[in-house]
Amino acid sequence: MINYNAWSSSEPTNTYNFQTGDIIQPAATSIDISNSYQKTRREVIDVFGTYSKTFGLHSGVILAGFNQEYYKLTEFSASKRDLYSLDTPVLDAAATNVSSGGNIGDYAMRSWFGRLNYDYANRYLFEANLRADGSSKFAPDNRWGVFPSFSAGWRISEEGFWSCLKNTVDNLKFRVSWGQLGNNGIGNYDWQNVYSPGNYSFNGSVVKGIMSTSIANNQITWETTDVLDVGLDVTLFNKLSMTFDYYDKYTHGILASLPIPYVNGGLTAPKVNSAKVRNRGFEFDLNYRDNFGPVEFLFSINGAVNKNVIEKYKGDLLEAHGQGVWTEGMPIGKFWVREIDHIIQDQREIDALLEQGWTFSPSTPGPGDFLYKDQNGDKKINDDDRVLKGNPIPVFTYGGNLSLNYKGFDFYMLVNGVLGWDKYTSSQFFSLNQYVQGYLYPTSFLNQWTEENHSTTIPKVYVSNEKINNNLITICTVQTICALKHCN
């Protein structure tokens, strides 16, 4: 259990220009005060037992258990204005009510789980898991989910026919596994009808009442992820160890809110088990250990290739999520942007385009501004020219380290990185085009476009927000950005 209490206020203070001593911003005329209280209660019960048995070349372990969890959050907050003095820092000493609020939320989980391990002669390995999870976040008829998993391994290097290769290949193990996982990461009450207070017009008068704010769906249940992994472990000369894995991770029944008609009165759409996302990839890990006289040497390198695809969501709808969009057939967060053609160097270029009937939205660019590509050939530069572009998720991730030890002296080096990853750079250009005094920018921005420096990579900087030609994120929903920088 955690109890949290917070009090906050501030003493009005003038803001000065320390070079001149002048007041830049006078102190506020009132003092605000706020109090908040939060109580978190979490109860967990874990009970499990194991039984192991070995007979001859056979050995096995059985585990069974039970888990139960209950979580409850109680919170309250209030704030007032026009506090008479910080000498009496309590809410009753303030004159004006501003706001207050409070809420209670809870959820519960109950799980049964078991595992069976079997080993024959340290050559044939098998494991089976089964768990049943019940969550209060779903309706009683859909509360429980059952999730099995299985894995098997064959230590080929322990077979009799491998003895002639034992000095070369110390260990060779083939393994395969498949399993399911469940996810209930949604709101505590999404399956229920929830109401909020509101006022109604009844018989010519305003009366108090309650109203529904969303459409509930009591048919929702667990999201499920199927994971398949096929792997190989190899050790050569007792010095070089290698691990290779291929995986296929398929998440289906993802809880999402699908579009609904506005005739529903602006109610929030219900959650539905609808979306599907797949991740496929390959991973490897290589380690080499040896001694060169008194020097101990260890070298390691690893890498992973991953492909992420939304297989089912909302058809070809491009739905904004942060800096990218979700749409079927593309990775999560694919960028939807206006593609830059070049930076305009001369006003004559724009004048010529205007004479030819070109139009620009939201405003006409000038020298030093980006000229975006006319993707559809209609001589109109606007949001219709956006394209899906870039890799929001790295195609390849790698890492490695080198370790040396010589008579108590150690040396260690670590390296890691990504390939095939595109970075969303809007925030930097947004700062450039709405200059804020006091911020430090990368030195590369010194190469910005000016009348004397016709840069081809960084546009000119506007001191105020008089133009936003080089950053459109404040105009468009979220999709337009000024540039994509390829990072290796």
Side-chain angles (χ1 to χ4, degrees):
M1 181 179 295
I2 300 175
N3 290 320
Y4 173 82
N5 287 279
W7 171 92
S8 66
S9 184
S10 60
E11 185 173 1
T13 305
N14 294 326
T15 302
Y16 291 89
N17 183 323
F18 292 105
Q19 292 177 324
T20 64
D22 297 333
I23 297 177
I24 300 175
Q25 182 176 344
T29 58
S30 63
I31 304 176
D32 295 343
I33 181 174
S34 64
N35 286 103
S36 62
Y37 166 78
Q38 190 177 88
K39 179 181 178 181
T40 302
R41 175 185 168 194
R42 185 169 180 256
E43 301 173 357
V44 179
I45 299 175
D46 279 309
V47 180
F48 66 93
T50 60
Y51 174 78
S52 60
K53 179 70 174 179
T54 300
F55 45 98
L57 297 177
H58 305 270
S59 64
V61 179
I62 298 176
L63 179 146
F66 169 81
N67 168 268
Q68 181 170 293
E69 179 178 345
Y70 176 71
Y71 177 88
K72 183 177 181 179
L73 174 65
T74 304
E75 54 186 357
F76 171 79
S77 63
S79 63
K80 297 182 73 174
R81 182 165 294 168
D82 299 323
L83 180 69
Y84 293 117
S85 171
L86 286 173
D87 294 332
T88 55
V90 295
L91 290 171
D92 283 348
T96 307
N97 288 315
V98 177
S99 66
S100 63
N103 209 337
I104 296 178
D106 65 347
Y107 70 84
M109 279 276 297
R110 179 173 293 170
S111 304
W112 300 90
F113 54 89
R115 182 176 67 213
L116 169 66
N117 290 93
Y118 173 74
D119 176 1
Y120 176 75
N122 201 27
R123 294 200 302 266
Y124 310 114
L125 311 172
F126 176 77
E127 180 178 303
N129 294 272
L130 183 66
R131 63 179 298 130
D133 297 310
S135 172
S136 65
K137 296 183 179 182
F138 305 118
D141 291 341
N142 300 291
R143 186 155 290 170
W144 287 89
V146 179
F147 308 104
S149 64
F150 307 92
S151 63
W154 179 25
R155 297 195 65 190
I156 305 172
S157 56
E158 297 301 312
E159 297 286 359
F161 62 79
W162 199 262
S163 58
C164 60
L165 298 174
K166 196 71 173 178
N167 292 332
T168 303
V169 184
D170 310 277
N171 177 59
L172 179 61
K173 179 182 178 181
F174 174 77
R175 48 190 167 74
V176 60
S177 63
W178 176 88
Q180 289 187 330
L181 299 172
N183 178 35
N184 67 336
I186 57 173
N188 295 339
Y189 312 106
D190 283 348
W191 69 274
Q192 304 177 60
N193 290 313
V194 179
Y195 299 90
S196 298
N199 295 327
Y200 287 83
S201 175
F202 181 77
N203 197 26
S205 302
V206 177
V207 296
K208 296 180 179 180
I210 58 174
M211 60 183 179
S212 178
T213 58
S214 63
I215 300 175
N217 178 13
N218 61 9
Q219 299 301 309
I220 56 176
T221 188
W222 291 83
E223 299 178 2
T224 303
T225 299
D226 301 345
V227 182
L228 171 67
D229 184 275
V230 179
L232 186 69
D233 300 330
V234 184
T235 303
L236 303 177
F237 308 107
N238 200 28
K239 295 180 180 180
L240 176 63
S241 60
M242 300 175 287
T243 299
F244 306 93
D245 282 274
Y246 168 80
Y247 64 88
D248 186 344
K249 182 179 180 182
Y250 178 52
T251 304
H252 51 95
I254 299 175
L255 289 160
S257 297
L258 301 182
I260 59 175
Y262 285 114
V263 295
N264 288 282
L267 297 176
T268 302
K271 289 286 192 300
V272 181
N273 291 98
S274 60
K276 299 177 181 179
V277 176
R278 187 182 294 275
N279 285 275
R280 284 195 181 106
F282 176 78
E283 298 176 341
F284 70 89
D285 186 8
L286 307 178
N287 294 274
Y288 182 78
R289 181 188 298 272
D290 204 351
N291 291 341
F292 299 95
V295 179
E296 296 179 5
F297 172 85
L298 173 62
F299 173 74
S300 176
I301 185 171
N302 61 78
V305 177
N306 180 71
K307 182 179 181 181
N308 171 269
V309 176
I310 299 175
E311 294 194 350
K312 181 181 179 183
Y313 187 49
K314 299 179 181 180
D316 57 359
L317 174 68
L318 299 175
E319 182 181 85
H321 282 266
Q323 299 169 338
V325 295
W326 291 7
T327 187
E328 290 183 11
M330 294 291 174
I332 293 175
K334 187 76 171 182
F335 299 116
W336 192 26
V337 301
R338 292 194 192 186
E339 193 172 17
I340 298 170
D341 189 276
H342 62 274
I343 292 178
I344 300 166
Q345 302 295 330
D346 193 300
Q347 180 63 38
R348 289 174 296 180
E349 179 180 0
I350 290 299
D351 292 340
L353 292 174
L354 293 173
E355 289 180 4
Q356 297 171 19
W358 287 66
T359 60
F360 303 88
S361 176
S363 59
T364 301
D369 292 332
F370 287 135
L371 180 65
Y372 298 101
K373 291 183 179 180
D374 180 19
Q375 302 286 357
N376 56 13
D378 62 356
K379 293 187 178 182
K380 298 178 181 179
I381 304 298
N382 53 32
D383 282 349
D384 293 338
D385 296 308
R386 289 172 292 184
V387 294
L388 293 170
K389 187 177 181 181
N391 295 314
I393 301 175
V395 175
F396 182 68
T397 304
Y398 64 89
N401 62 74
L402 172 65
S403 176
L404 299 174
N405 184 289
Y406 174 74
K407 294 182 178 182
F409 293 93
D410 296 325
F411 172 80
Y412 184 78
M413 181 177 68
L414 174 68
V415 61
N416 60 74
V418 297
L419 296 174
W421 174 58
D422 293 294
K423 183 179 179 182
Y424 187 96
T425 59
S426 171
S427 58
Q428 292 177 331
F429 282 93
F430 181 75
S431 300
L432 274 174
N433 290 281
Q434 287 186 298
Y435 177 70
V436 181
Q437 187 174 359
Y439 281 73
L440 293 176
Y441 301 112
T443 56
S444 60
F445 290 175
L446 294 173
N447 191 38
Q448 63 190 262
W449 191 96
T450 65
E451 292 290 347
E452 295 74 28
N453 178 39
H454 285 195
S455 170
T456 59
T457 57
I458 299 179
K460 66 180 177 182
V461 177
Y462 291 102
V463 176
S464 64
N465 194 26
E466 60 194 63
K467 284 190 176 182
I468 49 176
N469 292 327
N470 301 325
N471 190 308
L472 306 179
I473 197 168
T474 56
I475 294 296
C476 305
T477 306
V478 70
Q479 298 90 338
T480 53
I481 62 173
C482 56
L484 282 173
K485 179 181 179 182
H486 192 72
C487 302
N488 289 332

